């Protein structure tokens, strides 16, 4: 930490001292003794709590003998990302901070960066600057970089903006988001001119000369584009009890913080719903939204089962409620975060009795019955709270007409553990189809419970309408497709194609959500 001393003796001015992390207490003691012996009568030790902030960021490239040229990058929401048109995209990033920096553990490595659409190579710190080198940057993509565990020398963490977004579009000299004839003309106007701070973006291949090679590279990339539309999005967050056992309950709030930071309070609209045995609207569709969503994510209480169907219904209702001018195009998305299969569905019998049934993952050994309003598990007169039990196949409070239900597949089925479990999945699939029919993309993020079930991936790919269904023939079919193992038949080319990603551990959740950010902002 940093301390300052002030006294009325020979030392008349305030001084700053850096105390290294090891043996700080001893160092501070010796420093104070020194000041006392040299006449410092009144000594104060005050911690330096000045906030550390990111001041600027640039994409740096060497243009042959012409020298090094930096492209300043916009800080803030990713839909305002700077276009890097030079070959290789943002391969070297230079961050400048308000104070000298280090890391929480004193070492700098790949764990200090969450990178999307590029690969970490190496990084270095020099005083108040951090240089990050990337490889394998994907052209026509949104490159996202989040800094983790950066502090100043007084241990104050980085506050405010901790990420940067760059649109890698080779050849987009005028940074419009599309490579077109305007970019060709811009290079023609600079052919054979010296590379300067005014025209360095025209030197696409960074050779130090603007020539026909640069012109050809633009021609090769004609019509490549990456434009960011305003976003209308609902987060659907699983808060079932199983999230307590896999680290999800701890990971979700911080991951939502990082995820939301990439969106714009002034142009985007966001809502949050969450689900357990029942679903709730935590944050109605609104703008601005960041504070409300952050607070709601940190207030989630995890308990109960998994009623995914309700969450998807609530999510599409929120997206449909957004205020969108008739002339405006938007990117609409539902981000569905869960730790496994849906296991609850709601049914109303002709007797006007409505209950939520389920609570057990497949292959389900039993099912429970819940109050559809508050999610409380119901108990019958014999004290049973799940079935079958004690010879009962249905609760004692069910009448004769409540032993079967009409499935969404059009068939009548007995109320049984297996049928209830599969119905919960079927209804989520049907609702997801309805969500996508309203031009909403669905992105699924899963942190598996326990050892996970590979079939969960296939199920979530169906929910998202993930093109991976066409190629992932090695995945076991989920329970709902036990009679239809051809997963490719579930992909609907006429609907928005989303994506399902698996976070192997809680520590991977932020990386997976950042990947989804890039997908949403590239729609």
């Amino acid at each position: 930490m940093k301390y300052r001393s002030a006294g009325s003796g020979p030392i008349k001015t305030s001084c700053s001292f850096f105390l290294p992390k090891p043996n700080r207490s001893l160092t501070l003691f010796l420093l104070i003794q020194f000041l006392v012996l040299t006449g410092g009568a009144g000594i104060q030790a005050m911690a330096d709590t000045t906030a550390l902030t990111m001041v600027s960021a640039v994409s740096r490239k060497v243009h042959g003998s012409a020298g090094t040229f930096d492209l300043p990058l916009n800080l803030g929401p990713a839909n305002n990302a700077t276009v890097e048109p030079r070959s290789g995209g943002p391969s070297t990033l230079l961050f400048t901070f308000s104070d000298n920096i280090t890391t929480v553990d004193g070492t700098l490595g790949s764990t200090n960066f969450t990178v999307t659409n590029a690969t970490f190579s190496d990084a270095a710190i020099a005083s108040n600057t951090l240089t990050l080198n990337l490889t394998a940057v994907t052209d026509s993509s949104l490159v996202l970089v989040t800094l983790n565990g950066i502090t100043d020398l007084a241990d104050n963490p980085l506050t405010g903006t901790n990420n940067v977004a760059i649109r890698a579009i080779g050849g987009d000299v005028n940074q419009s988001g599309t490579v077109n004839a305007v970019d060709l003309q811009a290079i023609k106007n600079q052919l054979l001119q010296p590379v300067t701070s005014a025209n360095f973006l025209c030197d696409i291949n960074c050779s130090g000369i603007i020539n026909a090679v640069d012109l050809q590279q633009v021609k090769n990339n004609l019509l490549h584009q990456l434009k960011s539309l305003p976003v209308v999005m609902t987060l659907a967050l699983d808060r079932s009890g199983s999230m307590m056992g896999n680290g999800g309950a701890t990971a979700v709030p911080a991951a939502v913080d990082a995820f939301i930071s990439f969106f714009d309070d002034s142009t985007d609209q966001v809502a949050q719903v969450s689900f357990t045995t029942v679903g709730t609207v935590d944050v109605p569709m609104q703008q601005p939204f960041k504070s409300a969503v952050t607070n709601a994510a940190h207030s989630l209480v995890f308990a109960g089962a998994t009623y995914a169907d309700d969450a998807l219904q609530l999510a599409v209702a929120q997206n449909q409620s957004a205020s969108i001018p008739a002339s405006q195009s938007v990117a609409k998305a539902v981000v569905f975060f869960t730790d496994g299969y849906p296991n609850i569905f709601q049914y109303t019998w002709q007797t006007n009795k409505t209950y939520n049934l389920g609570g057990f993952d497949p292959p389900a050994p039993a099912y429970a019955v819940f109050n559809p309003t508050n999610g409380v598990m119901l108990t019958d007169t014999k004290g049973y709270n799940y079935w079958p039990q004690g010879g009962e196949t249905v609760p004692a409070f069910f009448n004769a007409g409540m032993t079967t239900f009409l499935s969404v597949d059009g068939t009548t089925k007995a109320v049984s553990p297996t049928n209830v479990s599969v119905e919960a999945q079927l209804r989520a699939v049907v609702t997801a189809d309805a969500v996508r029919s309203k031009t909403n993309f669905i992105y699924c993020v899963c942190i598996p419970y326990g050892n996970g079930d590979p079939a969960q991936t296939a199920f979530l790919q169906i929910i998202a309408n993930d093109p991976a269904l066409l190629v992932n023939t090695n995945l076991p079919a989920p329970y709902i497709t036990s009679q239809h193992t051809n997963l490719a038949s579930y992909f609907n080319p006429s609907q928005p194609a989303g994506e399902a990603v698996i976070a192997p551990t809680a520590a991977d959740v932020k990386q997976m959500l950042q990947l989804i950010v890039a997908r949403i902002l590239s729609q």
Side-chain angles (χ1 to χ4, degrees):
M1 302 180 76
K2 286 182 179 176
Y3 294 87
R4 73 179 186 188
S5 64
S8 56
I11 299 178
K12 299 291 186 182
T13 59
S14 296
C15 306
S16 292
F17 300 88
F18 167 61
L19 306 184
K21 291 182 179 180
N23 302 316
R24 262 193 187 144
S25 298
L26 175 60
T27 307
L28 178 59
F29 172 77
L30 294 175
L31 176 61
I32 292 175
Q33 291 299 311
F34 170 78
L35 292 172
V36 170
L37 290 173
T38 55
I43 298 174
Q44 294 176 310
M46 300 178 62
D48 179 359
T49 58
T50 304
L52 175 68
T53 59
M54 185 189 298
V55 175
S56 65
V58 300
S59 174
R60 172 169 291 182
K61 288 184 180 290
V62 178
H63 290 246
S65 60
T68 299
F69 292 89
D70 291 343
L71 171 64
L73 302 176
N74 294 331
L75 301 181
N79 60 3
N80 191 36
T82 303
V83 171
E84 170 56 275
R86 295 175 289 181
S87 294
S91 53
T92 297
L93 301 178
L94 195 72
F95 300 91
T96 303
F97 301 89
S98 58
D99 204 345
N100 293 346
I101 61 168
T102 183
T103 62
V104 170
D105 61 3
T107 61
L108 183 68
S110 60
T111 58
N112 296 110
F113 305 92
T114 304
V115 181
T116 301
N117 289 326
T119 302
F120 171 85
S121 177
D122 58 75
I125 289 174
S127 301
N128 70 328
T129 63
L130 187 158
T131 302
L132 169 64
N133 292 312
L134 302 173
T135 59
V137 175
T138 303
D139 188 48
S140 298
S141 75
L142 186 66
V143 177
L144 305 175
V145 177
T146 299
L147 308 186
N148 310 309
I150 303 298
T151 73
D152 65 15
L153 302 185
D155 288 339
N156 297 307
L158 179 62
T159 59
T161 300
N162 71 333
N163 54 54
V164 67
I166 312 103
R167 287 184 286 171
I169 314 175
D172 183 17
V173 176
N174 71 343
Q175 301 176 298
S176 67
T178 303
V179 184
N180 54 29
V182 177
D183 301 300
L184 283 173
Q185 189 60 51
I187 291 182
K188 288 179 181 179
N189 293 343
Q190 297 295 325
L191 279 176
L192 304 182
Q193 296 298 311
V195 176
T196 68
S197 59
N199 67 6
F200 68 91
L201 292 183
C202 292
D203 182 19
I204 302 295
N205 67 348
C206 301
S207 65
I209 303 172
I210 301 173
N211 56 22
V213 177
D214 301 300
L215 201 61
Q216 187 60 50
Q217 285 196 274
V218 174
K219 289 180 179 179
N220 293 342
N221 286 351
L222 279 176
L223 301 184
H224 285 201
Q225 66 176 349
L226 183 66
K227 294 194 174 187
S228 294
L229 297 172
V231 173
V232 170
M233 173 177 63
T234 298
L235 302 181
L237 305 179
D238 186 344
R239 53 183 174 90
S240 61
S242 56
M243 292 280 285
M244 296 293 290
N246 59 8
T250 301
V252 165
V256 169
D257 289 351
F259 178 79
I260 284 297
S261 70
F262 284 105
F263 297 93
D264 194 331
D265 254 339
S266 63
T267 60
D268 301 328
Q269 300 177 64
V270 177
Q272 178 185 303
V273 303
S274 61
F275 59 103
T276 171
T277 311
V278 295
T280 58
V281 176
D282 305 325
V283 179
M285 185 61 66
Q286 59 186 258
Q287 179 192 84
F289 54 85
K290 287 186 178 180
S291 177
V293 170
T294 296
N295 290 338
H298 283 266
S299 301
L300 293 174
V301 176
F302 295 83
T306 310
Y307 188 6
D309 180 27
D310 198 22
L312 290 169
Q313 292 184 51
L314 292 173
V316 71
Q318 288 303 309
N319 276 11
Q320 292 303 107
S321 73
S323 177
I324 305 171
S327 60
Q328 185 179 54
S329 296
V330 299
K332 295 198 294 183
V334 172
V335 179
F336 181 74
F337 186 95
T338 187
D339 70 345
Y341 291 108
N343 56 27
I344 291 283
F345 80 96
Q346 187 175 99
Y347 194 75
T348 301
W349 283 269
Q350 292 182 349
T351 56
N352 291 324
K353 294 283 188 178
T354 300
Y355 294 108
N356 288 6
L357 286 74
F360 293 86
D361 288 342
Y367 67 91
V369 179
F370 303 87
N371 182 302
T373 302
N374 58 23
V376 172
M377 183 183 292
L378 302 178
T379 303
D380 71 8
T381 55
K382 296 182 180 180
Y384 300 152
N385 55 17
Y386 65 87
W387 292 268
Q389 185 177 180
E392 291 185 357
T393 58
V394 296
F397 50 80
F398 276 21
N399 61 39
M402 298 168 66
T403 59
T404 62
F405 64 90
L406 180 63
S407 171
V408 289
D409 67 9
T411 64
T412 298
K413 299 179 179 178
V415 176
S416 69
T418 298
N419 287 342
V420 166
S421 177
V422 171
E423 188 69 15
Q425 297 176 52
L426 284 172
R427 291 182 179 242
V429 168
V430 170
T431 299
D433 185 75
V435 171
R436 297 191 307 270
S437 71
K438 293 179 170 59
T439 68
N440 294 281
F441 286 76
I442 299 179
Y443 298 97
C444 299
V445 181
C446 179
I447 174 171
Y449 180 76
N451 294 325
D453 179 351
Q456 288 177 359
T457 302
F459 173 75
L460 292 173
Q461 286 173 347
I462 292 172
I463 294 293
N465 199 36
D466 191 331
L469 288 166
L470 299 173
V471 296
N472 284 349
T473 55
N474 60 320
L475 286 174
Y479 291 93
I480 59 168
T481 62
S482 58
Q483 304 303 315
H484 309 281
T485 55
N486 180 16
L487 294 177
S489 66
Y490 284 87
F491 179 71
N492 187 343
S494 67
Q495 289 193 341
E499 186 170 357
V501 296
I502 304 298
T505 68
D508 301 304
V509 170
K510 186 163 71 171
Q511 173 76 60
M512 294 301 102
L513 280 173
Q514 185 163 302
L515 175 65
I516 297 305
V517 171
R519 299 293 187 265
I520 294 171
L521 293 176
S522 300
Q523 285 182 197

